[in-house]
Amino acid sequence: MIPGDLAARVAAWVADDPDPADAAELRDLLAKGNQSARAELADRFAARLTFGTAGLRGVVAAGPNRMNRAVVRAATAAVAGWLLAPADRGVPEGVPRAGSGTGPVVVGCDARHRSAEFAEEVAGVLAGAGLAVHVLPLPCPTPLLAFAVRHLGAAAGVMVTASHNPAADNGYKLYLGDGAQVIPPVDAEIEARIAGLAPLSRIPVAKTDSPLISRHGDEVAKAYLDAVVATAAGPTRDRAELNVVYTPMHGVAGPLMLRAIRQAGFAAPHVVAAQAEPDPDFPTVAFPNPEEPGALDLALADARRLGADLVVASDPDGDRLAVAVPIPGPIPGPIPGPIPGPIPGPIPGPDPAVGWRMLTGDQVGALLGASLLERTAAGAAPRDRLVASTVVSSTLLSKIAAAAGARYAETLTGFKWIARAADSVPGARFLFGYEEALGYAVGDVVRDKDGIGAALVMLELAASAKSAGRSVIDRYDDLERAYGVHLTSQLTLRTADQAQVMSRLRSAPPAAFGEEPVAGLAPGPGCRGPTC
């Protein structure tokens, strides 16, 4: 039997659920009443997905602790309410305010399970609240949505995506009118509005043919491509032709990536056939994250077979970029972990027998940052250029920036901070930012990570190196010879209890790390209060 209080909460949710299939799913669990059903319902109703970091993310299923139409409807009604609220004059300078704009809202989605359905729910609720809505062609990569917010003069943008999460997940990412992801206190204000909503049945939802809903063709993508190619691609002279293997990893970035590569003047890459089309089940990878061991196995196999110069990979929503390069061989397969210092000697020409390895996010970040700083050294106001990385990323970029006479900013983890790194620095011009988890932003075309723009910089770097008889690894060795060897390694601990973990660290910080005592504590960059 299902406990009475739990059964009552389930019944109340079912009565207000706008999706008949979700309601039926919960009724079926109630009817089963066995131990498995009890455990499943207890988990689904243990809490409600909270509006944090950049929005919502969770397993697609019915109930408040899952991603479904009811949860999407509530979140969107809260976003609409926040956009339409009287302006809040108590918000610190530089942070978007409630009611700061009642302009249109841009909506996009990836190809995950129920993404298109959730995107239509978002559009309907926004239009039902009286807001104009711009729906991008579905599905689309996340960088296109982030670009479209400012390109279309929108007050906000909503992207339905779970990025590189497991196949069972989906999510809801909110962008503010400045084109960057939501930040405090806005996320907390929206969360409070969700908690205070009336029943979902009272939330007006416009029909799909509402005059407030505009559906775009290719014009936004064309504008994005023009902007990102002009910013990221670099000069076309003295380029060697590259033999590149590319995989979209069953995601949505493929068509736009291929168009960008062609428009930038590079040869078309070889696309990994088994991963070319969007597939929400991600059948060829255990985990659709290019950082995960084995995720690039098919691409590396094609690279060996074709004697490629470079492998580039998108994550499912196209905002991250992975890069793999040939290294002196013969080596039987990809080597896990960071390269242990500079690799001596030149790399021979492409050979199917040589080894391949994936570069770390810190290595790619240093390469891209150094390339962009070198490319812009003779431009206007070189000292106004600003590059940024995070507190958990390598310090190599800061040394490269200092030698180039550019500004450097270290931010909290997350592109909502990286993208705004120049906002509080008078006269600064954002040139590049990255975090070690394979996220890179090239200029301010997209105020978020953009795997397509980053790929163009990497292709230009690799092509110019090849023209000079050198390799990507040679270029990285140059950086370490100039600024010292920088070794970083990622340790990921998955937990559903992040808030409590951080609360414990803040209330009882460690006195030592290993045998080294902690000398002092300081708030991180961007911290605005005791909860930072």
Side-chain angles (χ1 to χ4, degrees):
M1 291 288 294
I2 307 297
D5 61 333
L6 176 58
R9 284 186 287 134
V10 174
W13 181 273
V14 167
D16 199 33
D17 197 318
D19 191 278
D22 287 342
E25 182 181 311
L26 293 174
R27 282 195 295 266
D28 183 59
L29 287 170
L30 276 176
K32 287 180 179 176
N34 55 27
Q35 184 175 351
S36 175
R38 286 198 302 273
E40 181 66 20
L41 286 172
D43 184 60
R44 295 192 190 196
F45 284 80
R48 180 176 46 79
L49 286 185
T50 55
F51 201 95
T53 310
L56 303 165
R57 196 168 290 183
V59 175
V60 176
N65 200 24
R66 298 289 189 269
M67 274 295 297
N68 49 67
R69 275 183 62 203
V71 167
V72 168
R73 179 174 294 190
T76 307
V79 168
W82 183 85
L83 288 169
L84 294 166
D88 181 354
R89 291 177 174 80
V91 176
E93 189 65 32
V95 177
R97 290 159 165 76
S100 58
T102 55
V105 180
V106 188
V107 178
C109 74
D110 64 15
R112 284 179 176 266
H113 291 293
R114 300 183 71 178
S115 280
E117 174 191 343
F118 294 161
E120 291 296 341
E121 184 75 18
V122 172
V125 172
L126 292 170
L131 291 164
V133 183
H134 292 277
V135 180
L136 298 180
L138 308 178
C140 68
T142 293
L144 183 63
L145 183 285
F147 167 82
V149 172
R150 289 189 299 157
H151 177 69
L152 296 172
V158 175
M159 180 70 186
V160 177
T161 179
S163 189
H164 56 283
N165 269 39
D169 289 3
N170 212 328
Y172 182 111
K173 183 179 288 189
L174 178 64
Y175 291 83
L176 300 178
D178 62 354
Q181 295 175 33
V182 63
I183 55 174
V186 180
D187 51 1
E189 293 173 359
I190 291 172
E191 175 67 17
R193 286 181 174 275
I194 294 173
L197 284 175
L200 299 182
S201 57
R202 297 183 187 175
I203 295 172
V205 180
K207 294 182 178 180
T208 57
D209 61 353
S210 166
L212 287 173
I213 301 175
S214 301
R215 300 184 186 274
H216 285 269
D218 195 48
E219 67 279 5
V220 177
K222 287 180 178 176
Y224 164 81
L225 289 170
D226 289 345
V228 77
V229 169
T231 301
T236 58
R237 64 183 182 277
D238 301 326
R239 275 185 189 166
E241 184 166 310
L242 289 175
N243 181 3
V244 177
V245 170
Y246 168 62
T247 174
M249 203 165 290
H250 301 295
V252 298
L256 208 57
M257 176 73 86
L258 295 178
R259 289 174 64 183
I261 290 172
R262 181 172 63 251
Q263 186 167 324
F266 296 102
H270 166 83
V271 180
V272 178
Q275 297 176 335
E277 297 301 321
D279 189 328
D281 293 317
F282 306 104
T284 67
V285 292
F287 199 98
N289 180 354
E291 292 178 288
E292 293 289 325
L296 294 187
D297 282 358
L298 292 179
L300 292 172
D302 282 359
R304 293 188 189 95
R305 177 173 56 83
L306 298 169
D309 298 303
L310 193 69
V311 169
V312 291
S314 303
D315 72 336
D317 71 327
D319 61 356
R320 286 173 170 81
L321 178 76
V323 177
V325 295
I327 60 174
I331 295 175
I335 305 173
I339 299 174
I343 295 176
I347 292 178
D351 181 337
V354 305
W356 280 82
R357 68 149 299 103
M358 180 175 160
L359 298 179
T360 68
D362 282 320
Q363 290 166 338
V364 174
L367 284 163
L368 299 185
S371 179
L372 288 164
L373 285 166
E374 179 182 349
R375 190 192 299 176
T376 57
R383 293 191 176 277
D384 291 343
R385 298 170 299 166
L386 180 142
V387 297
S389 61
T390 68
V391 294
V392 297
S393 301
S394 170
T395 59
L396 179 54
L397 182 61
S398 66
K399 296 167 185 165
I400 296 169
R407 306 187 193 198
Y408 171 78
E410 184 179 82
T411 75
L412 295 172
T413 304
F415 262 81
K416 61 186 178 183
W417 305 116
I418 295 171
R420 295 181 171 98
D423 290 2
S424 58
V425 183
R429 175 167 51 93
F430 186 88
L431 180 69
F432 175 71
Y434 92 93
E435 62 182 359
E436 47 75 39
L438 308 187
Y440 319 97
V442 179
D444 67 350
V445 172
V446 176
R447 298 197 83 197
D448 195 8
K449 51 191 172 292
D450 179 4
I452 296 171
L456 296 183
V457 181
M458 178 54 68
L459 291 178
E460 193 279 329
L461 183 158
S464 63
K466 186 177 180 182
S467 295
R470 308 185 78 231
S471 70
V472 172
I473 288 294
D474 289 333
R475 294 286 298 270
Y476 187 75
D477 286 353
D478 291 344
L479 297 177
E480 291 207 323
R481 290 188 184 99
Y483 306 108
V485 175
H486 289 66
L487 297 181
T488 61
S489 182
Q490 185 184 72
L491 174 63
T492 301
L493 301 175
R494 293 191 175 94
T495 175
D497 197 20
Q498 299 97 322
Q500 290 191 28
V501 169
M502 295 308 299
S503 177
R504 288 196 297 270
L505 283 173
R506 293 182 184 110
S507 62
F513 283 94
E515 297 180 355
E516 296 296 324
V518 173
L521 299 170
C527 184
R528 288 190 170 88
T531 61
C532 291

